[in-house]
């Protein structure tokens, strides 16, 4: 009996190992097929008209974005809430903005969740505030939400506005998907998985300095390209700086050159080049 148990444990481990290798291989094959599928001209036309950042991208990066979008749209599940109709337009604009973040970085396409809930406009969620023994039930108005290891929730009017205006530093899709990148190591703390282990030291140093600088700027009422909401927590700081990096790259590079360099290394993209190319 003991021999049977001793033999069955390695057999189970081997079966699990082979199974995961096979699933990984099958997933890569399927993704390669999706990436190779033709990207319809009508989709390109829609992106040209409604996604300002797409117009700035060099051709090579546009094609890369389109390949990522094909996988993203096939793997994520879009669910309309409060009467919101899900069509190609909705999927395309969410996919395009989410995939800008992973355009030039190694990616597993936001693993750990699949569902994207879309409301027609800003939505309210019930929240309970506790102050000692006092509990207050309130509602909070949201443009987007990212649940830990769960769905992303987006307001469609904000998705549209984010796609059309790529200079105001606000983009709800980028913000919520930055949270998803942040939690790939199971913790949402402003410290995502970095490709080079040597990078963790400089990352922590530069982001901590910039986070403290933002707090000081707010106390002294001084202007800062990073939105005040970034001062809420290190996790919000990472998401807000991501929006700034893609939407106000030149200002971010001028005010916080080291921070810009850290984000450029992390995302593998250099949005200052995209803006310079356009002007
Ligand atoms: Zn957030």
């Amino acid at each position: 009996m003991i021999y049977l148990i001793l033999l069955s444990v390695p057999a189970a481990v081997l079966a699990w190992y082979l199974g995961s290798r096979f699933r990984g291989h099958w997933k890569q094959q399927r993704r390669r097929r999706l990436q190779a599928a033709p990207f319809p001209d009508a989709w390109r036309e829609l992106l040209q008209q409604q996604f300002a950042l797409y117009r700035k991208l060099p051709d090579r990066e546009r094609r890369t974005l389109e390949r990522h979008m094909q996988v993203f749209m096939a793997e994520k599940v879009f669910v309309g809430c409060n009467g919101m109709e899900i069509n190609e337009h909705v999927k395309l604009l969410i996919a395009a903005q989410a995939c800008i973040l992973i355009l030039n970085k190694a990616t597993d396409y936001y693993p750990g969740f699949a569902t994207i809930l879309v409301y027609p406009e800003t939505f309210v969620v019930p929240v309970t505030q506790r102050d000692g023994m006092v509990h207050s039930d309130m509602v909070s108005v949201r443009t987007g939400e990212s649940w830990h290891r769960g769905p992303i929730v987006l307001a469609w009017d904000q998705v549209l506005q984010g796609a059309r205006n790529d200079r105001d530093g606000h983009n709800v899709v980028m913000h919520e998907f930055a949270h998803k990148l942040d939690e790939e190591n199971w913790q949402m703390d402003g410290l995502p998985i970095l490709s080079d282990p040597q990078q963790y030291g400089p990352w922590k140093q530069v982001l901590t300095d910039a986070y403290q600088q933002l707090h000081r700027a707010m106390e002294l009422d001084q202007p800062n390209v990073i939105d005040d909401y970034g001062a809420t927590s290190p996790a919000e700081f990472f998401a807000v700086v991501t929006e700034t990096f893609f939407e106000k790259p030149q200002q971010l590079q001028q005010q916080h050159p080291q921070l810009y360099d850290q984000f450029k290394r992390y995302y593998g993209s250099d949005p200052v080049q995209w803006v310079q190319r356009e002007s």
Side-chain angles (χ1 to χ4, degrees):
M1 183 65 183
I2 190 78
Y3 292 115
L4 275 177
I5 294 170
L6 286 173
L7 278 172
S8 64
V9 171
V13 171
L14 183 66
W16 172 84
Y17 173 74
L18 290 174
S20 65
R21 283 294 296 263
F22 176 75
R23 281 192 298 278
H25 177 72
W26 180 82
K27 186 167 78 173
Q28 294 310 327
Q29 291 268 64
R30 193 171 51 86
R31 284 179 174 173
R32 270 195 287 274
R33 271 201 306 278
L34 287 164
Q35 288 171 344
F39 197 85
D41 286 342
W43 292 6
R44 265 187 202 127
E45 186 68 22
L46 191 141
L47 291 174
Q48 280 280 0
Q49 286 170 4
Q50 301 202 9
F51 186 27
L53 208 44
Y54 179 82
R55 294 195 286 272
K56 291 181 182 165
L57 295 180
D59 278 347
R60 189 184 57 80
E61 285 180 303
R62 275 188 202 170
R63 297 295 92 82
T64 308
L65 180 72
E66 292 166 2
R67 285 196 291 276
H68 285 320
M69 288 171 62
Q70 300 267 37
V71 177
F72 184 95
M73 287 194 289
E75 293 189 357
K76 299 304 178 203
V77 180
F78 297 78
V79 179
C81 303
N82 278 8
M84 178 74 201
E85 186 205 336
I86 299 295
N87 52 32
E88 270 180 358
H89 183 194
V90 174
K91 291 185 188 179
L92 276 168
L93 281 192
I94 293 173
Q97 294 174 84
C99 290
I100 276 285
L101 269 53
I102 53 170
L103 182 64
N104 291 311
K105 80 193 289 301
T107 182
D108 194 19
Y109 295 96
Y110 301 106
F113 89 102
T115 307
I116 300 167
L117 304 170
V118 190
Y119 283 79
E121 48 200 17
T122 44
F123 49 95
V124 290
V125 290
V127 287
T128 303
Q129 277 198 343
R130 292 181 177 83
D131 185 5
M133 297 293 285
V134 181
H135 290 204
S136 319
D137 291 322
M138 309 160 78
V139 290
S140 169
V141 179
R142 303 276 167 93
T143 58
E145 262 188 340
S146 171
W147 296 10
H148 190 64
R149 309 306 286 182
I152 273 195
V153 192
L154 296 167
W156 172 239
D157 60 346
Q158 301 300 311
V159 172
L160 263 182
Q161 196 176 309
R164 288 171 181 166
N165 186 339
D166 66 339
R167 290 162 190 245
D168 62 359
H170 295 294
N171 186 297
V172 69
V173 179
M174 290 182 194
H175 182 103
E176 302 308 337
F177 278 88
H179 283 319
K180 286 295 178 205
L181 292 177
D182 190 2
E183 72 175 33
E184 280 183 9
N185 57 4
W186 293 88
Q187 287 190 345
M188 211 173 85
D189 55 1
L191 181 61
I193 296 170
L194 306 177
S195 57
D196 177 4
Q198 306 273 334
Q199 210 186 332
Y200 284 99
W203 176 275
K204 282 184 197 165
Q205 184 67 54
V206 171
L207 267 80
T208 304
D209 287 351
Y211 184 63
Q212 288 169 350
Q213 222 176 315
L214 177 61
H215 277 264
R216 274 198 304 278
M218 285 168 64
E219 278 162 25
L220 300 171
D221 208 16
Q222 288 172 343
N224 195 309
V225 66
I226 303 165
D227 190 274
D228 289 356
Y229 188 63
T232 313
S233 68
E236 293 305 337
F237 186 71
F238 171 67
V240 169
V241 176
T242 293
E243 294 175 79
T244 320
F245 176 73
F246 285 102
E247 295 219 338
K248 292 184 169 179
Q250 287 172 310
Q251 297 98 309
L252 185 68
Q253 194 184 41
Q254 273 162 14
Q255 275 189 28
H256 304 276
Q258 289 186 318
L259 187 63
Y260 184 86
D261 280 349
Q262 288 298 320
F263 274 66
K264 190 171 105 176
R265 282 189 72 174
Y266 174 69
Y267 282 113
S269 290
D270 189 1
V272 162
Q273 298 278 340
W274 303 342
V275 180
Q276 284 170 347
R277 207 179 144 269
E278 193 198 32
S279 49

